[in-house]
Amino acid sequence: MILRGWQAADPQSDMQWGPVLVLALLFAIEALAFFHYAQREILWHQPEFYDQAVYLISSYQIEAGLRSGSLHDLVEGLSRQIDSALPLEGAGLAVIFGGDRLPRLFVNFAFFCLAQLVVFRTVQCLTGRSLYGIATVGLLLSQAFLFQPAGGMFDFRLDFTAACLFGVWLCSLLCAARHSLASGVAMTMLAAAVLLLHRFVVSIQMLPVLVLLTVACAASAVTYRTAQSWLRLRHAGLSLLLTFVMIGCYAAWKWAAISNYYVEGHLVGDEKIGRAHEMGLFMLFDHMMFYPRSIAQGQLGSNFMGLAAAGLVIAAAIASGSRRQTELIGLCASAAILPLAVLTVDVSKSMVVASVAALPMALGVCLICFSPGETRRTATVFTAMLFITGGGLTAAMRLAEPMFSNSRTELMAATALARDVGRQIAASGWQEPIYLSVDAMTSRVNVPAMTVLIREETGKLYNLQMALGARVDAFDQSSMEADLAQSHLLVTTPYAGAGPLPFDASMKAFRRAFEASLRQDFSPVGTYGEGAGKLTLYVRRTAPATAHQDVKG
C-alpha cells in the first residue's frame, strides 16, 4: 500500500480458471476432511475447554431466540459476550442447516477458507504468479495452530477466527495500493470492522501496526515529496484515524463487559497473577519469552519452521540482486511482532492468542521467497512445490492423528459425568439456577461444557452455575460455606487443596468442614475415571439420586 517504490505486479494470464479450480478442489477436500475429523474426534464428547463452551452456550441461546422469535433470548444471548459475531453466525447456520455443534464449528472452517482465498489472491497480485499464491496456501496448511485442540479449527472460540481475520486485514493493507484512496480505505476498514466484531482485543493490536505504518509513510512523504508518497500517507493516516474511532465507539458500547473482563481481570485484579503462576511464569524473563516460545512451538510448529527455513535458504542462495518488496515484508514483520509485544504487556498469558501472528509470518516468508523480479525461476518454482507438498502432507498427517490421545480416558469420564449431571437435573425438579461445586480447580469439571452436552443430548439449555470452585481467588471459610450450602450437586477429586492457586490454599484450610458437609448433606451418585483423574459425583439428599454404574473410562 503503502511505501515508496512498490508497484504491484500484474497477474499473468495463468490466473484464470486453472487456479480457481485448484482452490475449489482444495476447499472440497478440506470440507470432507473437516466433517470426517469432527465426527471422529469432536462431536461425541463434551467440549474440552471452558472458553468454547461459554460461546457455545451463547450461540444456543441465540438460536433459541431465532427459532422462537423471543427477543429476550436473542438479546440475552448476544449480550453475554463482549464479542457476539461468532455465536450469532453459529446460531444462524444451525437454524438454516440444523444440527448442534457441527454448524458452529463450520464457521471456523468458513473463515479459514476465506483467509486462504484472500492470502492466495494477495500473493498472486503482489508477485504476478498464481503458483506462488497457491504455495502460500500450502505453507499456511503446515502451521500447527490449525489443528491445535485449544485455539484450532475445531475449537469454537474467538482466537481461530481472529487469526484468520487478522490475516485478511493485513492483506487489505498489502493490496491497498492497487486501489484509489477511497476504495483502499473502504477495503481496509471493512476488514477491520469484521475483525472488531469477532475479536475486540485483536483490533487493539491493529493500532500499533497502523501507527508504525503511518510514521513510515510520513517519513517517505517528507523525504521524497511525490504525489504517490502523499497518497500513501493519506491512506495510512485515514485508516489509523477511522480504526481508532471505530474501536472507541465499540469500547463505549461494550464498556461494562470490557471493564469487568479486561480491566479488572487483566489489569488491576489479582486473578492475573494467579493465572500467570498457573502457567509457570514467575520471573520477568519468563513473561518476555512466553509468546516467542508459544508462537514457535504451538502456533507455527516444527513443520512450518522447517519449510520456511528451507525456502529462506533457497531465496538467499539464488538472490540475483533483484529488488525484493522490503517495505511489504517489513509490514508483515510488524504485523507479527507488534501484536505479540502488546500481548506480552498483559501479566495473564494464554497459550492460544499468539496465533494472530501466524498468517503475517507466512505472508512475510513467501514475499521473501517469491520476489517478482527474481530471474531464477527454477529455484523459486522448486520452493513453491516444496511449500505445497509439505503443507499438504502436514495437514494430512495431523488430521490422521487423534486429537486427545493422551487424555481420551479422562475425556470419556468427564463426558459420562456430564450425562449423569443432566439425569440428576431432569429427575430433581430444581428451580434454576442450579449450582454445582467442586473441591479443586480442574478443566475436567467444566460447568459450561456440561451445559452444552446436556443441551445437545436433551435439547434443554439449563442455567447450570458453578458455586464452590468458580474462581481462583482465596476465600474465607464463611464464603466457602455459603457456596457449598447453595450447591445442588458436588464433585470431588483426589487432589483437593494440592494445587498452586489461591483457591487451593483456601480449600486445604476448609477441608474438614467440607468433608463433614459432604457426609451429612450429600449422597454419592457414581465415580468416573481412575487414579489422579477420578471424579465422584454427589447429589444433595433433598433430591432423588438415579441409579448409575461407575465409569472407569
Side-chain angles (χ1 to χ4, degrees), residues 110-146:
F111 278 115
F112 180 54
C113 289
L114 173 65
Q116 291 176 92
L117 180 62
V118 172
V119 164
F120 162 78
R121 181 58 178 164
T122 298
V123 175
Q124 188 274 331
C125 290
L126 296 181
T127 64
R129 297 275 294 187
S130 299
L131 176 63
Y132 301 157
I134 295 175
T136 307
V137 173
L139 190 60
L140 287 182
L141 290 174
S142 71
Q143 293 187 331
F145 87 96
L146 302 177

PDB file of all heavy atoms in Angstrom, residues 110-146:
ATOM      1  N   ALA A 110     -15.219 -21.931   7.528  1.00  0.00           N
ATOM      2  CA  ALA A 110     -15.550 -20.925   6.512  1.00  0.00           C
ATOM      3  C   ALA A 110     -14.564 -19.760   6.548  1.00  0.00           C
ATOM      4  O   ALA A 110     -14.114 -19.277   5.501  1.00  0.00           O
ATOM      5  CB  ALA A 110     -16.981 -20.424   6.724  1.00  0.00           C
ATOM      6  N   PHE A 111     -14.198 -19.313   7.745  1.00  0.00           N
ATOM      7  CA  PHE A 111     -13.244 -18.213   7.835  1.00  0.00           C
ATOM      8  C   PHE A 111     -11.846 -18.647   7.406  1.00  0.00           C
ATOM      9  O   PHE A 111     -11.081 -17.845   6.857  1.00  0.00           O
ATOM     10  CB  PHE A 111     -13.212 -17.648   9.252  1.00  0.00           C
ATOM     11  CG  PHE A 111     -14.320 -16.664   9.527  1.00  0.00           C
ATOM     12  CD1 PHE A 111     -15.307 -16.942  10.455  1.00  0.00           C
ATOM     13  CD2 PHE A 111     -14.378 -15.473   8.834  1.00  0.00           C
ATOM     14  CE1 PHE A 111     -16.331 -16.048  10.693  1.00  0.00           C
ATOM     15  CE2 PHE A 111     -15.399 -14.559   9.063  1.00  0.00           C
ATOM     16  CZ  PHE A 111     -16.386 -14.850  10.001  1.00  0.00           C
ATOM     17  N   PHE A 112     -11.513 -19.900   7.646  1.00  0.00           N
ATOM     18  CA  PHE A 112     -10.215 -20.375   7.175  1.00  0.00           C
ATOM     19  C   PHE A 112     -10.178 -20.409   5.649  1.00  0.00           C
ATOM     20  O   PHE A 112      -9.168 -20.038   5.039  1.00  0.00           O
ATOM     21  CB  PHE A 112      -9.923 -21.755   7.751  1.00  0.00           C
ATOM     22  CG  PHE A 112      -8.599 -22.324   7.312  1.00  0.00           C
ATOM     23  CD1 PHE A 112      -7.431 -21.608   7.497  1.00  0.00           C
ATOM     24  CD2 PHE A 112      -8.532 -23.568   6.707  1.00  0.00           C
ATOM     25  CE1 PHE A 112      -6.212 -22.126   7.096  1.00  0.00           C
ATOM     26  CE2 PHE A 112      -7.313 -24.092   6.295  1.00  0.00           C
ATOM     27  CZ  PHE A 112      -6.153 -23.369   6.488  1.00  0.00           C
ATOM     28  N   CYS A 113     -11.267 -20.832   5.033  1.00  0.00           N
ATOM     29  CA  CYS A 113     -11.335 -20.802   3.564  1.00  0.00           C
ATOM     30  C   CYS A 113     -11.220 -19.370   3.054  1.00  0.00           C
ATOM     31  O   CYS A 113     -10.535 -19.112   2.047  1.00  0.00           O
ATOM     32  CB  CYS A 113     -12.637 -21.437   3.079  1.00  0.00           C
ATOM     33  SG  CYS A 113     -12.701 -23.233   3.282  1.00  0.00           S
ATOM     34  N   LEU A 114     -11.894 -18.433   3.728  1.00  0.00           N
ATOM     35  CA  LEU A 114     -11.785 -17.026   3.340  1.00  0.00           C
ATOM     36  C   LEU A 114     -10.337 -16.551   3.441  1.00  0.00           C
ATOM     37  O   LEU A 114      -9.828 -15.876   2.525  1.00  0.00           O
ATOM     38  CB  LEU A 114     -12.683 -16.173   4.237  1.00  0.00           C
ATOM     39  CG  LEU A 114     -12.552 -14.660   4.056  1.00  0.00           C
ATOM     40  CD1 LEU A 114     -13.004 -14.234   2.661  1.00  0.00           C
ATOM     41  CD2 LEU A 114     -13.350 -13.913   5.133  1.00  0.00           C
ATOM     42  N   ALA A 115      -9.664 -16.902   4.531  1.00  0.00           N
ATOM     43  CA  ALA A 115      -8.267 -16.490   4.700  1.00  0.00           C
ATOM     44  C   ALA A 115      -7.392 -17.076   3.605  1.00  0.00           C
ATOM     45  O   ALA A 115      -6.523 -16.381   3.047  1.00  0.00           O
ATOM     46  CB  ALA A 115      -7.761 -16.916   6.078  1.00  0.00           C
ATOM     47  N   GLN A 116      -7.596 -18.346   3.277  1.00  0.00           N
ATOM     48  CA  GLN A 116      -6.802 -18.967   2.207  1.00  0.00           C
ATOM     49  C   GLN A 116      -7.036 -18.253   0.878  1.00  0.00           C
ATOM     50  O   GLN A 116      -6.092 -18.002   0.120  1.00  0.00           O
ATOM     51  CB  GLN A 116      -7.176 -20.440   2.076  1.00  0.00           C
ATOM     52  CG  GLN A 116      -6.742 -21.310   3.239  1.00  0.00           C
ATOM     53  CD  GLN A 116      -7.221 -22.730   3.078  1.00  0.00           C
ATOM     54  OE1 GLN A 116      -6.526 -23.594   2.537  1.00  0.00           O
ATOM     55  NE2 GLN A 116      -8.444 -22.998   3.525  1.00  0.00           N
ATOM     56  N   LEU A 117      -8.289 -17.949   0.581  1.00  0.00           N
ATOM     57  CA  LEU A 117      -8.618 -17.290  -0.679  1.00  0.00           C
ATOM     58  C   LEU A 117      -7.983 -15.900  -0.756  1.00  0.00           C
ATOM     59  O   LEU A 117      -7.388 -15.529  -1.773  1.00  0.00           O
ATOM     60  CB  LEU A 117     -10.135 -17.192  -0.818  1.00  0.00           C
ATOM     61  CG  LEU A 117     -10.661 -16.533  -2.094  1.00  0.00           C
ATOM     62  CD1 LEU A 117     -10.234 -17.328  -3.322  1.00  0.00           C
ATOM     63  CD2 LEU A 117     -12.185 -16.399  -2.043  1.00  0.00           C
ATOM     64  N   VAL A 118      -8.095 -15.134   0.328  1.00  0.00           N
ATOM     65  CA  VAL A 118      -7.552 -13.778   0.337  1.00  0.00           C
ATOM     66  C   VAL A 118      -6.029 -13.808   0.281  1.00  0.00           C
ATOM     67  O   VAL A 118      -5.401 -13.018  -0.440  1.00  0.00           O
ATOM     68  CB  VAL A 118      -8.053 -13.016   1.578  1.00  0.00           C
ATOM     69  CG1 VAL A 118      -7.347 -11.677   1.708  1.00  0.00           C
ATOM     70  CG2 VAL A 118      -9.561 -12.806   1.494  1.00  0.00           C
ATOM     71  N   VAL A 119      -5.412 -14.714   1.031  1.00  0.00           N
ATOM     72  CA  VAL A 119      -3.946 -14.826   1.004  1.00  0.00           C
ATOM     73  C   VAL A 119      -3.467 -15.231  -0.381  1.00  0.00           C
ATOM     74  O   VAL A 119      -2.476 -14.684  -0.907  1.00  0.00           O
ATOM     75  CB  VAL A 119      -3.484 -15.838   2.074  1.00  0.00           C
ATOM     76  CG1 VAL A 119      -2.047 -16.279   1.823  1.00  0.00           C
ATOM     77  CG2 VAL A 119      -3.612 -15.228   3.464  1.00  0.00           C
ATOM     78  N   PHE A 120      -4.151 -16.188  -0.999  1.00  0.00           N
ATOM     79  CA  PHE A 120      -3.795 -16.589  -2.361  1.00  0.00           C
ATOM     80  C   PHE A 120      -3.849 -15.395  -3.309  1.00  0.00           C
ATOM     81  O   PHE A 120      -2.909 -15.134  -4.065  1.00  0.00           O
ATOM     82  CB  PHE A 120      -4.741 -17.682  -2.855  1.00  0.00           C
ATOM     83  CG  PHE A 120      -4.742 -17.845  -4.342  1.00  0.00           C
ATOM     84  CD1 PHE A 120      -3.714 -18.521  -4.974  1.00  0.00           C
ATOM     85  CD2 PHE A 120      -5.759 -17.289  -5.111  1.00  0.00           C
ATOM     86  CE1 PHE A 120      -3.699 -18.644  -6.362  1.00  0.00           C
ATOM     87  CE2 PHE A 120      -5.754 -17.415  -6.481  1.00  0.00           C
ATOM     88  CZ  PHE A 120      -4.716 -18.099  -7.113  1.00  0.00           C
ATOM     89  N   ARG A 121      -4.959 -14.678  -3.275  1.00  0.00           N
ATOM     90  CA  ARG A 121      -5.132 -13.557  -4.203  1.00  0.00           C
ATOM     91  C   ARG A 121      -4.113 -12.456  -3.941  1.00  0.00           C
ATOM     92  O   ARG A 121      -3.586 -11.840  -4.877  1.00  0.00           O
ATOM     93  CB  ARG A 121      -6.558 -13.008  -4.068  1.00  0.00           C
ATOM     94  CG  ARG A 121      -6.874 -11.857  -5.006  1.00  0.00           C
ATOM     95  CD  ARG A 121      -6.681 -12.229  -6.446  1.00  0.00           C
ATOM     96  NE  ARG A 121      -7.026 -11.128  -7.334  1.00  0.00           N
ATOM     97  CZ  ARG A 121      -6.680 -11.060  -8.608  1.00  0.00           C
ATOM     98  NH1 ARG A 121      -5.974 -12.042  -9.170  1.00  0.00           N
ATOM     99  NH2 ARG A 121      -7.049 -10.036  -9.344  1.00  0.00           N
ATOM    100  N   THR A 122      -3.787 -12.223  -2.673  1.00  0.00           N
ATOM    101  CA  THR A 122      -2.820 -11.184  -2.338  1.00  0.00           C
ATOM    102  C   THR A 122      -1.436 -11.508  -2.891  1.00  0.00           C
ATOM    103  O   THR A 122      -0.810 -10.682  -3.567  1.00  0.00           O
ATOM    104  CB  THR A 122      -2.746 -11.013  -0.807  1.00  0.00           C
ATOM    105  OG1 THR A 122      -4.029 -10.592  -0.323  1.00  0.00           O
ATOM    106  CG2 THR A 122      -1.695  -9.989  -0.420  1.00  0.00           C
ATOM    107  N   VAL A 123      -0.957 -12.720  -2.611  1.00  0.00           N
ATOM    108  CA  VAL A 123       0.375 -13.095  -3.090  1.00  0.00           C
ATOM    109  C   VAL A 123       0.390 -13.192  -4.609  1.00  0.00           C
ATOM    110  O   VAL A 123       1.369 -12.817  -5.264  1.00  0.00           O
ATOM    111  CB  VAL A 123       0.821 -14.418  -2.443  1.00  0.00           C
ATOM    112  CG1 VAL A 123       2.150 -14.889  -3.006  1.00  0.00           C
ATOM    113  CG2 VAL A 123       0.934 -14.241  -0.929  1.00  0.00           C
ATOM    114  N   GLN A 124      -0.683 -13.673  -5.189  1.00  0.00           N
ATOM    115  CA  GLN A 124      -0.768 -13.741  -6.652  1.00  0.00           C
ATOM    116  C   GLN A 124      -0.649 -12.346  -7.274  1.00  0.00           C
ATOM    117  O   GLN A 124       0.047 -12.159  -8.276  1.00  0.00           O
ATOM    118  CB  GLN A 124      -2.081 -14.412  -7.056  1.00  0.00           C
ATOM    119  CG  GLN A 124      -2.220 -14.720  -8.530  1.00  0.00           C
ATOM    120  CD  GLN A 124      -2.753 -13.543  -9.330  1.00  0.00           C
ATOM    121  OE1 GLN A 124      -3.486 -12.720  -8.800  1.00  0.00           O
ATOM    122  NE2 GLN A 124      -2.371 -13.478 -10.586  1.00  0.00           N
ATOM    123  N   CYS A 125      -1.316 -11.359  -6.654  1.00  0.00           N
ATOM    124  CA  CYS A 125      -1.251  -9.996  -7.177  1.00  0.00           C
ATOM    125  C   CYS A 125       0.122  -9.356  -6.950  1.00  0.00           C
ATOM    126  O   CYS A 125       0.621  -8.630  -7.809  1.00  0.00           O
ATOM    127  CB  CYS A 125      -2.335  -9.138  -6.525  1.00  0.00           C
ATOM    128  SG  CYS A 125      -4.015  -9.538  -7.038  1.00  0.00           S
ATOM    129  N   LEU A 126       0.723  -9.634  -5.802  1.00  0.00           N
ATOM    130  CA  LEU A 126       1.999  -8.990  -5.476  1.00  0.00           C
ATOM    131  C   LEU A 126       3.166  -9.583  -6.252  1.00  0.00           C
ATOM    132  O   LEU A 126       4.174  -8.898  -6.474  1.00  0.00           O
ATOM    133  CB  LEU A 126       2.273  -9.095  -3.975  1.00  0.00           C
ATOM    134  CG  LEU A 126       1.288  -8.376  -3.043  1.00  0.00           C
ATOM    135  CD1 LEU A 126       1.703  -8.559  -1.599  1.00  0.00           C
ATOM    136  CD2 LEU A 126       1.173  -6.902  -3.393  1.00  0.00           C
ATOM    137  N   THR A 127       3.075 -10.848  -6.647  1.00  0.00           N
ATOM    138  CA  THR A 127       4.180 -11.497  -7.349  1.00  0.00           C
ATOM    139  C   THR A 127       3.905 -11.708  -8.825  1.00  0.00           C
ATOM    140  O   THR A 127       4.828 -11.971  -9.597  1.00  0.00           O
ATOM    141  CB  THR A 127       4.486 -12.862  -6.714  1.00  0.00           C
ATOM    142  OG1 THR A 127       3.346 -13.726  -6.872  1.00  0.00           O
ATOM    143  CG2 THR A 127       4.810 -12.718  -5.238  1.00  0.00           C
ATOM    144  N   GLY A 128       2.639 -11.640  -9.220  1.00  0.00           N
ATOM    145  CA  GLY A 128       2.295 -11.871 -10.610  1.00  0.00           C
ATOM    146  C   GLY A 128       2.221 -13.333 -10.982  1.00  0.00           C
ATOM    147  O   GLY A 128       2.086 -13.657 -12.168  1.00  0.00           O
ATOM    148  N   ARG A 129       2.276 -14.251 -10.017  1.00  0.00           N
ATOM    149  CA  ARG A 129       2.263 -15.680 -10.313  1.00  0.00           C
ATOM    150  C   ARG A 129       1.237 -16.387  -9.426  1.00  0.00           C
ATOM    151  O   ARG A 129       1.285 -16.314  -8.198  1.00  0.00           O
ATOM    152  CB  ARG A 129       3.642 -16.294 -10.046  1.00  0.00           C
ATOM    153  CG  ARG A 129       4.753 -15.750 -10.915  1.00  0.00           C
ATOM    154  CD  ARG A 129       4.826 -16.453 -12.244  1.00  0.00           C
ATOM    155  NE  ARG A 129       5.208 -17.850 -12.076  1.00  0.00           N
ATOM    156  CZ  ARG A 129       5.470 -18.662 -13.085  1.00  0.00           C
ATOM    157  NH1 ARG A 129       5.375 -18.224 -14.327  1.00  0.00           N
ATOM    158  NH2 ARG A 129       5.823 -19.913 -12.854  1.00  0.00           N
ATOM    159  N   SER A 130       0.316 -17.095 -10.043  1.00  0.00           N
ATOM    160  CA  SER A 130      -0.680 -17.850  -9.288  1.00  0.00           C
ATOM    161  C   SER A 130      -0.045 -18.982  -8.493  1.00  0.00           C
ATOM    162  O   SER A 130      -0.510 -19.330  -7.401  1.00  0.00           O
ATOM    163  CB  SER A 130      -1.733 -18.417 -10.236  1.00  0.00           C
ATOM    164  OG  SER A 130      -2.412 -17.390 -10.917  1.00  0.00           O
ATOM    165  N   LEU A 131       1.027 -19.573  -9.051  1.00  0.00           N
ATOM    166  CA  LEU A 131       1.691 -20.676  -8.367  1.00  0.00           C
ATOM    167  C   LEU A 131       2.181 -20.237  -6.988  1.00  0.00           C
ATOM    168  O   LEU A 131       2.085 -20.997  -6.015  1.00  0.00           O
ATOM    169  CB  LEU A 131       2.862 -21.185  -9.199  1.00  0.00           C
ATOM    170  CG  LEU A 131       3.720 -22.285  -8.554  1.00  0.00           C
ATOM    171  CD1 LEU A 131       2.888 -23.543  -8.321  1.00  0.00           C
ATOM    172  CD2 LEU A 131       4.942 -22.586  -9.411  1.00  0.00           C
ATOM    173  N   TYR A 132       2.672 -19.017  -6.876  1.00  0.00           N
ATOM    174  CA  TYR A 132       3.189 -18.549  -5.601  1.00  0.00           C
ATOM    175  C   TYR A 132       2.055 -18.319  -4.594  1.00  0.00           C
ATOM    176  O   TYR A 132       2.243 -18.506  -3.387  1.00  0.00           O
ATOM    177  CB  TYR A 132       3.997 -17.272  -5.791  1.00  0.00           C
ATOM    178  CG  TYR A 132       5.180 -17.432  -6.724  1.00  0.00           C
ATOM    179  CD1 TYR A 132       5.731 -16.337  -7.373  1.00  0.00           C
ATOM    180  CD2 TYR A 132       5.747 -18.690  -6.952  1.00  0.00           C
ATOM    181  CE1 TYR A 132       6.823 -16.477  -8.229  1.00  0.00           C
ATOM    182  CE2 TYR A 132       6.832 -18.836  -7.817  1.00  0.00           C
ATOM    183  CZ  TYR A 132       7.358 -17.735  -8.448  1.00  0.00           C
ATOM    184  OH  TYR A 132       8.431 -17.878  -9.298  1.00  0.00           O
ATOM    185  N   GLY A 133       0.906 -17.910  -5.101  1.00  0.00           N
ATOM    186  CA  GLY A 133      -0.247 -17.782  -4.214  1.00  0.00           C
ATOM    187  C   GLY A 133      -0.678 -19.132  -3.660  1.00  0.00           C
ATOM    188  O   GLY A 133      -0.976 -19.263  -2.471  1.00  0.00           O
ATOM    189  N   ILE A 134      -0.705 -20.151  -4.505  1.00  0.00           N
ATOM    190  CA  ILE A 134      -1.047 -21.496  -4.047  1.00  0.00           C
ATOM    191  C   ILE A 134       0.013 -22.017  -3.083  1.00  0.00           C
ATOM    192  O   ILE A 134      -0.295 -22.702  -2.093  1.00  0.00           O
ATOM    193  CB  ILE A 134      -1.213 -22.433  -5.252  1.00  0.00           C
ATOM    194  CG1 ILE A 134      -2.413 -21.978  -6.103  1.00  0.00           C
ATOM    195  CG2 ILE A 134      -1.401 -23.880  -4.808  1.00  0.00           C
ATOM    196  CD1 ILE A 134      -2.594 -22.751  -7.382  1.00  0.00           C
ATOM    197  N   ALA A 135       1.275 -21.682  -3.349  1.00  0.00           N
ATOM    198  CA  ALA A 135       2.353 -22.097  -2.442  1.00  0.00           C
ATOM    199  C   ALA A 135       2.173 -21.481  -1.057  1.00  0.00           C
ATOM    200  O   ALA A 135       2.451 -22.132  -0.032  1.00  0.00           O
ATOM    201  CB  ALA A 135       3.701 -21.702  -3.023  1.00  0.00           C
ATOM    202  N   THR A 136       1.706 -20.235  -0.992  1.00  0.00           N
ATOM    203  CA  THR A 136       1.461 -19.604   0.302  1.00  0.00           C
ATOM    204  C   THR A 136       0.348 -20.323   1.054  1.00  0.00           C
ATOM    205  O   THR A 136       0.420 -20.513   2.272  1.00  0.00           O
ATOM    206  CB  THR A 136       1.114 -18.123   0.113  1.00  0.00           C
ATOM    207  OG1 THR A 136       2.118 -17.492  -0.679  1.00  0.00           O
ATOM    208  CG2 THR A 136       1.016 -17.408   1.449  1.00  0.00           C
ATOM    209  N   VAL A 137      -0.700 -20.725   0.339  1.00  0.00           N
ATOM    210  CA  VAL A 137      -1.757 -21.520   0.963  1.00  0.00           C
ATOM    211  C   VAL A 137      -1.188 -22.830   1.493  1.00  0.00           C
ATOM    212  O   VAL A 137      -1.523 -23.275   2.605  1.00  0.00           O
ATOM    213  CB  VAL A 137      -2.903 -21.783  -0.036  1.00  0.00           C
ATOM    214  CG1 VAL A 137      -3.925 -22.765   0.543  1.00  0.00           C
ATOM    215  CG2 VAL A 137      -3.586 -20.475  -0.416  1.00  0.00           C
ATOM    216  N   GLY A 138      -0.302 -23.458   0.719  1.00  0.00           N
ATOM    217  CA  GLY A 138       0.342 -24.676   1.183  1.00  0.00           C
ATOM    218  C   GLY A 138       1.142 -24.451   2.454  1.00  0.00           C
ATOM    219  O   GLY A 138       1.093 -25.266   3.388  1.00  0.00           O
ATOM    220  N   LEU A 139       1.861 -23.339   2.523  1.00  0.00           N
ATOM    221  CA  LEU A 139       2.634 -23.034   3.720  1.00  0.00           C
ATOM    222  C   LEU A 139       1.715 -22.803   4.918  1.00  0.00           C
ATOM    223  O   LEU A 139       2.042 -23.213   6.044  1.00  0.00           O
ATOM    224  CB  LEU A 139       3.516 -21.806   3.477  1.00  0.00           C
ATOM    225  CG  LEU A 139       4.560 -21.486   4.559  1.00  0.00           C
ATOM    226  CD1 LEU A 139       5.538 -22.635   4.730  1.00  0.00           C
ATOM    227  CD2 LEU A 139       5.294 -20.193   4.216  1.00  0.00           C
ATOM    228  N   LEU A 140       0.576 -22.178   4.687  1.00  0.00           N
ATOM    229  CA  LEU A 140      -0.399 -21.995   5.771  1.00  0.00           C
ATOM    230  C   LEU A 140      -0.853 -23.335   6.342  1.00  0.00           C
ATOM    231  O   LEU A 140      -1.032 -23.478   7.557  1.00  0.00           O
ATOM    232  CB  LEU A 140      -1.625 -21.224   5.269  1.00  0.00           C
ATOM    233  CG  LEU A 140      -1.485 -19.743   4.992  1.00  0.00           C
ATOM    234  CD1 LEU A 140      -2.827 -19.176   4.548  1.00  0.00           C
ATOM    235  CD2 LEU A 140      -0.991 -18.999   6.216  1.00  0.00           C
ATOM    236  N   LEU A 141      -1.046 -24.309   5.474  1.00  0.00           N
ATOM    237  CA  LEU A 141      -1.533 -25.612   5.922  1.00  0.00           C
ATOM    238  C   LEU A 141      -0.536 -26.335   6.812  1.00  0.00           C
ATOM    239  O   LEU A 141      -0.904 -27.289   7.508  1.00  0.00           O
ATOM    240  CB  LEU A 141      -1.873 -26.489   4.715  1.00  0.00           C
ATOM    241  CG  LEU A 141      -3.102 -26.076   3.904  1.00  0.00           C
ATOM    242  CD1 LEU A 141      -3.237 -26.932   2.652  1.00  0.00           C
ATOM    243  CD2 LEU A 141      -4.360 -26.168   4.748  1.00  0.00           C
ATOM    244  N   SER A 142       0.710 -25.909   6.804  1.00  0.00           N
ATOM    245  CA  SER A 142       1.714 -26.550   7.656  1.00  0.00           C
ATOM    246  C   SER A 142       1.750 -25.961   9.057  1.00  0.00           C
ATOM    247  O   SER A 142       2.478 -26.466   9.919  1.00  0.00           O
ATOM    248  CB  SER A 142       3.107 -26.426   7.015  1.00  0.00           C
ATOM    249  OG  SER A 142       3.577 -25.088   7.069  1.00  0.00           O
ATOM    250  N   GLN A 143       0.990 -24.898   9.310  1.00  0.00           N
ATOM    251  CA  GLN A 143       1.048 -24.248  10.619  1.00  0.00           C
ATOM    252  C   GLN A 143       0.295 -25.063  11.665  1.00  0.00           C
ATOM    253  O   GLN A 143      -0.828 -25.525  11.437  1.00  0.00           O
ATOM    254  CB  GLN A 143       0.500 -22.831  10.536  1.00  0.00           C
ATOM    255  CG  GLN A 143       1.384 -21.915   9.692  1.00  0.00           C
ATOM    256  CD  GLN A 143       0.955 -20.472   9.725  1.00  0.00           C
ATOM    257  OE1 GLN A 143      -0.216 -20.163   9.899  1.00  0.00           O
ATOM    258  NE2 GLN A 143       1.913 -19.565   9.560  1.00  0.00           N
ATOM    259  N   ALA A 144       0.892 -25.187  12.834  1.00  0.00           N
ATOM    260  CA  ALA A 144       0.384 -26.098  13.858  1.00  0.00           C
ATOM    261  C   ALA A 144      -0.917 -25.615  14.485  1.00  0.00           C
ATOM    262  O   ALA A 144      -1.737 -26.436  14.920  1.00  0.00           O
ATOM    263  CB  ALA A 144       1.442 -26.296  14.946  1.00  0.00           C
ATOM    264  N   PHE A 145      -1.151 -24.294  14.544  1.00  0.00           N
ATOM    265  CA  PHE A 145      -2.316 -23.810  15.268  1.00  0.00           C
ATOM    266  C   PHE A 145      -3.633 -24.244  14.633  1.00  0.00           C
ATOM    267  O   PHE A 145      -4.667 -24.278  15.301  1.00  0.00           O
ATOM    268  CB  PHE A 145      -2.260 -22.277  15.397  1.00  0.00           C
ATOM    269  CG  PHE A 145      -2.859 -21.521  14.244  1.00  0.00           C
ATOM    270  CD1 PHE A 145      -4.163 -21.061  14.300  1.00  0.00           C
ATOM    271  CD2 PHE A 145      -2.116 -21.258  13.097  1.00  0.00           C
ATOM    272  CE1 PHE A 145      -4.717 -20.342  13.254  1.00  0.00           C
ATOM    273  CE2 PHE A 145      -2.655 -20.544  12.049  1.00  0.00           C
ATOM    274  CZ  PHE A 145      -3.972 -20.096  12.123  1.00  0.00           C
ATOM    275  N   LEU A 146      -3.615 -24.580  13.347  1.00  0.00           N
ATOM    276  CA  LEU A 146      -4.843 -25.009  12.677  1.00  0.00           C
ATOM    277  C   LEU A 146      -5.445 -26.232  13.340  1.00  0.00           C
ATOM    278  O   LEU A 146      -6.680 -26.393  13.373  1.00  0.00           O
ATOM    279  CB  LEU A 146      -4.557 -25.323  11.205  1.00  0.00           C
ATOM    280  CG  LEU A 146      -3.966 -24.206  10.350  1.00  0.00           C
ATOM    281  CD1 LEU A 146      -3.690 -24.729   8.948  1.00  0.00           C
ATOM    282  CD2 LEU A 146      -4.894 -23.008  10.311  1.00  0.00           C
TER     283      LEU A 146
END
